[in-house]
Amino acid sequence: MLEVAPKTELEQEDDRPAVPSGLLSATGADGYKAIGRTVSTSSSFHRRLPHMGDFLHYSSDRAGITDLFTNAVRLCPPEREDPRHWLGPIGHGPPEQLLTFLHEVTHHWCFRSDVGQALLFLAARADMNAHALSALSDDIDERPNNDVSDDLWGEFVRDLGPLLRAAVEDPRSRLGSRLESVRNDLGLAVHDDVIRIQVALALLRPLAEGLALFAEFDAISRIQSEVWSPLPYSVALNFAGRERLAQGPHVEPFNIMLIAGELLSRVRSSPLALSRKASMLGSPLKTGSPLTRGSGGYLLGYLTVKSLWRHLLTQDFRLFAETDLSLMYMRSFFYDDLGLAALLVQPPISDCMLSTQRIIDHLQERITVFEGVRKADVRAYEEHVLSSGGADWVRRSGLLRSAAEDERDIRLMRRAREDIKSSAAAETFGFAASLAVERFNRIAPRRTYLTACSVPVRVTDAHDPPGALNVVWKELPILTIPAEDLVRETSEELTAVGGTDGSSLQLDIVLGTATARGDFLARGAVLCDGKRVMACSVSGLPEHQARIREEMVAGFRARDALLKESETLQKIAGRIVENDWGLRWNRDHVLGQLDNIVDQLYRPTALCFAREGTDLDALADRMDQRGLLSVLGSSTLLRNMTLLGLSAGLNAHESVVAEHFQELGLIFDDTLREAARLWETEGFPPRVVRSGGPDGWVMPFL
């Protein structure tokens, strides 16, 4: 049975410092109630808290990143990027990048969701209110001690008000006696949205990492699968190479599943996968560990997702082999949750504690509700995917939400967007609202596409065919762009911009995302000079190329520009909170509790399949520093248990798993005996399930 802790609450404290008049009056406590006890969080005030710029999600090897707001992706450090792997209709990505690719594509897929879009909206709204508040700021010479900041962003925010007033208008005189109250309201609105984003990020991060790790090490589609996630197509079309897909990208799904399965089998059987997964299983369970940079949760999230999956297969054993469908369902259950999306975008309020508690309560309830998922629900979801054709939004069946709830929450989200037009920021300083809408509309369509590679290049005239251009990377010609793919009017302009040192032009290899039914994953090579798209060549189904090219070119932003835009989107609002003592104190008070809240939120589910009677608190405490290594006792056993999980995930027949062990000079039965001993003595990891018989299968939890 899936279990969660009793309701986790943020408490008000009676003995709290006075908050200056006009600042947020609702404050938090140095502890929170969880499992019937109060946990002190006072030590959290002595470390650097995350700020609004810490929204990158990393692969477990730290090589890949995905930005929460823009959905910009980097698969490896810039110095290791090679565009040749990703050019042409079929990619041949480096095998050593496949696990990272799976991890980051899953992040990209999760953030391209109702919840991901809601978080982008929140960031844009916070930025809007921050700009309006800046326009109402005092003149610099009127501020106490000239309010000098000691950092670049602090200086920028200090000077932003005068700059905005000089460039647009000075709205202060129009407000008259309302000036202070409007400033107060805008400051509280900025604060509340900043807190909501930070809280949602912290609460969802273990889930995001757990789903991405499940995609790395577990999820796979079978030949008989009726539906599949974007992952199998992404793997085949980006790592198979022309040799395996000689017929091009338009092959039938049967072949795609075979090829993706072969590629996944090869990488998950490699020493790289064994080392990478064992390292993750031996990492701290505690969310605030150094490994996770204070708000990660790789192991906690992975064990949670494995428990959710095991619950699913207790309802429908078919899901033992349908791990890709299981991943699809879990991702939709949480990231396509219209209830959470609607809750996030509700109008900001003055009580950030209340906003925080509502988000905590909702996610806790959603985890609890997952226990009610049954076979019929997964089947209804599967039929929905089949019937919807992968459309961006059709009401999703099987997610334990009623049609009335979905309709209500869609109305709430629409109303939140419409409220921008009549907001205090729009009334006070219309430029701020226009800027927020423009930024949101610029970023939102771009979140669909994933940048596999982004490198500086230069171009030369190809001469043959006439009007074509050669793209040169590290003095190697890597791509010829035909004249019809040029966006600028003449090739002379391109060669003038990027024909010498190549520093002015950037080549992004952009991937479209496949639909749930596995429609072709488009690929585009986009050449830009930082602000303008100069050329775009698209491969894919001929009937879709023109539309895809138009979508890629419209509002295109290179990957580095997207990452910079994301940072800018967050900085002004974050700095306003940072510079205001009262707002900062309340922010730190809430965020200082989050690591412990996240741990208590996920631990009961992560450990729910432990043997009955096991002291889960003691077990979690043992795993806080060294993860499963603390329970297993040796790195050798950790490696063998990791190997058991990877092998059985590919082919669960005992004879096949035993053969894999034998190839590595290991004894399969010894590992099973150790697993049984651990179950009896430690109560964790969960018992390895075996069917018995000559054709039996084995199902480990890890």
Side-chain angles (χ1 to χ4, degrees):
M1 295 284 287
L2 293 176
E3 297 178 0
V4 296
K7 184 176 179 181
T8 301
E9 295 182 352
L10 291 158
E11 290 189 319
Q12 299 276 28
E13 62 177 328
D14 296 325
D15 185 19
R16 60 194 182 208
V19 180
S21 175
L23 298 176
L24 188 63
S25 58
T27 58
D30 268 357
Y32 72 99
K33 284 187 174 179
I35 321 294
R37 64 179 184 275
T38 300
V39 182
S40 174
T41 61
S42 58
S43 61
S44 62
F45 290 100
H46 301 291
R47 63 171 173 80
R48 178 180 175 274
L49 286 161
H51 57 73
M52 277 198 77
D54 293 336
F55 290 124
L56 295 176
H57 285 65
Y58 293 80
S59 58
S60 55
D61 65 350
R62 314 296 291 176
I65 61 171
T66 303
D67 178 64
L68 175 66
F69 295 126
T70 64
N71 231 0
V73 172
R74 191 189 72 204
L75 298 175
C76 66
E79 64 272 12
R80 287 170 44 200
E81 291 191 295
D82 187 340
R84 295 171 294 179
H85 293 303
W86 312 101
L87 291 169
I90 304 297
H92 54 97
E96 66 272 14
Q97 288 185 20
L98 179 51
L99 292 174
T100 298
F101 180 85
L102 286 166
H103 195 103
E104 300 309 324
V105 167
T106 304
H107 281 328
H108 186 275
W109 177 35
C110 287
F111 300 160
R112 187 195 171 194
S113 63
D114 295 310
V115 171
Q117 201 82 334
L119 289 168
L120 171 61
F121 175 84
L122 270 188
R125 186 170 70 187
D127 186 62
M128 173 189 73
N129 287 322
H131 274 82
L133 181 59
S134 296
L136 299 180
S137 65
D138 291 330
D139 293 323
I140 293 176
D141 56 5
E142 297 175 0
R143 300 175 191 176
N145 301 320
N146 210 23
D147 199 22
V148 177
S149 176
D150 60 355
D151 67 276
L152 183 62
W153 270 103
E155 291 289 336
F156 175 76
V157 172
R158 185 189 67 140
D159 297 337
L160 182 59
L163 289 172
L164 289 172
R165 290 191 289 270
V168 184
E169 64 165 330
D170 187 343
R172 294 176 297 180
S173 59
R174 285 191 287 104
L175 294 175
S177 61
R178 296 176 51 225
L179 177 60
E180 285 304 317
S181 65
V182 172
R183 282 176 174 172
N184 222 33
D185 291 344
L186 289 172
L188 293 174
V190 170
H191 180 249
D192 192 42
D193 281 346
V194 167
I195 291 293
R196 290 188 199 189
I197 294 170
Q198 292 278 14
V199 169
L201 171 69
L203 294 176
L204 289 171
R205 190 183 285 273
L207 193 61
E209 298 301 346
L211 291 170
L213 290 166
F214 191 82
E216 272 192 69
F217 301 124
D218 300 275
I220 193 166
S221 280
R222 309 294 177 179
I223 294 173
Q224 64 271 28
S225 299
E226 294 186 52
V227 298
W228 45 86
S229 74
L231 299 183
Y233 256 67
S234 300
V235 167
L237 295 177
N238 288 294
F239 287 84
R242 286 184 176 273
E243 296 77 14
R244 284 196 184 92
L245 281 177
Q247 301 175 39
H250 317 136
V251 296
E252 67 274 15
F254 178 84
N255 282 345
I256 287 290
M257 293 304 109
L258 285 177
I259 293 168
E262 178 189 340
L263 290 166
L264 290 173
S265 179
R266 183 173 301 176
V267 72
R268 288 176 183 165
S269 301
S270 68
L272 174 64
L274 182 60
S275 172
R276 189 158 162 161
K277 183 174 180 180
S279 177
M280 180 270 296
L281 293 176
S283 67
L285 182 70
K286 189 174 178 60
T287 304
S289 70
L291 175 76
T292 57
R293 303 183 71 197
S295 57
Y298 290 85
L299 179 59
L300 184 64
Y302 183 67
L303 295 180
T304 296
V305 169
K306 292 287 279 190
S307 292
L308 296 176
W309 169 65
R310 178 163 278 204
H311 168 72
L312 291 178
L313 65 90
T314 62
Q315 303 304 309
D316 184 357
F317 194 71
R318 174 180 66 108
L319 298 175
F320 174 44
E322 291 278 6
T323 42
D324 186 60
L325 172 59
S326 301
L327 176 65
M328 292 173 66
Y329 185 84
M330 291 185 288
R331 178 256 179 202
S332 285
F333 194 89
F334 293 101
Y335 278 94
D336 288 332
D337 176 13
L338 292 172
L340 178 57
L343 177 63
L344 288 170
V345 302
Q346 287 311 290
I349 60 177
S350 61
D351 187 349
C352 70
M353 299 293 292
L354 180 58
S355 291
T356 297
Q357 191 64 59
R358 286 170 175 171
I359 298 171
I360 293 170
D361 290 348
H362 183 93
L363 187 56
Q364 189 166 35
E365 180 184 7
R366 197 69 180 148
I367 294 173
T368 304
V369 167
F370 197 92
E371 185 181 356
V373 175
R374 297 293 179 262
K375 178 178 180 178
D377 299 311
V378 179
R379 185 56 190 166
Y381 173 79
E382 193 174 15
E383 290 174 351
H384 146 73
V385 174
L386 284 169
S387 63
S388 67
D392 279 346
W393 201 93
V394 177
R395 184 179 174 271
R396 302 167 183 91
S397 303
L399 300 182
L400 305 191
R401 285 180 52 88
S402 68
E405 288 173 321
D406 283 351
E407 291 167 2
R408 176 201 64 201
D409 290 332
I410 290 171
R411 286 196 302 271
L412 289 173
M413 288 188 289
R414 287 175 179 164
R415 188 181 306 157
R417 293 195 182 190
E418 293 167 357
D419 285 347
I420 293 293
K421 302 173 186 177
S422 58
S423 65
E427 176 191 347
T428 303
F429 194 61
F431 172 79
S434 299
L435 178 64
V437 171
E438 189 272 332
R439 274 186 165 171
F440 180 89
N441 290 339
R442 183 169 66 236
I443 293 173
R446 185 65 182 81
R447 300 176 83 250
T448 301
Y449 294 98
L450 183 152
T451 301
C453 183
S454 181
V455 294
V457 296
R458 64 184 181 88
V459 297
T460 61
D461 197 334
H463 300 296
D464 185 24
L469 293 174
N470 285 329
V471 178
V472 180
W473 170 75
K474 292 187 175 180
E475 300 309 313
L476 299 171
I478 59 172
L479 175 66
T480 298
I481 299 179
E484 58 267 25
D485 286 345
L486 300 183
V487 176
R488 310 308 302 173
E489 292 184 358
T490 65
S491 61
E492 286 79 7
E493 182 179 357
L494 260 173
T495 54
V497 172
T500 53
D501 63 359
S503 60
S504 298
L505 292 178
Q506 196 78 9
L507 177 68
D508 279 41
I509 312 299
V510 180
L511 310 178
T513 50
T515 67
R517 289 184 61 181
D519 294 337
F520 173 58
L521 192 73
R523 186 189 311 276
V526 184
L527 196 65
C528 68
D529 67 353
K531 296 181 179 179
R532 302 170 299 172
V533 174
M534 313 297 280
C536 179
S537 292
V538 172
S539 61
L541 294 173
E543 60 268 30
H544 296 308
Q545 283 187 10
R547 175 184 58 81
I548 292 170
R549 184 174 184 272
E550 182 180 350
E551 289 177 357
M552 285 187 178
V553 169
F556 178 81
R557 306 280 282 174
R559 183 187 64 200
D560 290 348
L562 282 172
L563 291 172
K564 186 176 182 62
E565 177 139 32
S566 177
E567 182 180 4
T568 303
L569 182 67
Q570 308 155 39
K571 280 288 188 180
I572 296 174
R575 181 54 61 180
I576 282 176
V577 174
E578 186 70 31
N579 288 347
D580 188 302
W581 181 89
L583 299 181
R584 183 177 69 249
W585 192 92
N586 280 280
R587 178 205 65 183
D588 291 354
H589 212 65
V590 172
L591 299 187
Q593 305 177 60
L594 277 181
D595 283 347
N596 285 327
I597 289 176
V598 171
D599 288 340
Q600 297 294 343
L601 179 66
Y602 283 100
R603 277 182 182 179
T605 302
L607 304 177
C608 71
F609 285 102
R611 182 168 51 83
E612 187 175 356
T614 301
D615 186 338
L616 297 186
D617 286 339
L619 177 62
D621 290 343
R622 288 178 61 190
M623 294 173 62
D624 268 350
Q625 299 304 317
R626 301 172 67 207
L628 282 161
L629 191 57
S630 301
V631 178
L632 303 184
S634 76
S635 57
T636 299
L637 184 54
L638 177 63
R639 182 197 63 177
N640 292 350
M641 293 290 284
T642 302
L643 177 64
L644 178 60
L646 288 169
S647 299
L650 295 169
N651 190 325
H653 286 93
E654 282 203 21
S655 58
V656 176
V657 178
E659 183 179 349
H660 194 185
F661 269 70
Q662 188 175 6
E663 290 172 356
L664 298 175
L666 302 171
I667 301 174
F668 173 60
D669 287 338
D670 285 353
T671 300
L672 290 181
R673 279 192 290 270
E674 283 296 299
R677 178 188 64 79
L678 286 167
W679 173 252
E680 294 300 329
T681 59
E682 307 292 342
F684 200 81
R687 184 196 301 274
V688 176
V689 180
R690 304 171 71 183
S691 68
D695 297 322
W697 44 260
V698 58
M699 185 180 70
F701 178 77
L702 299 178

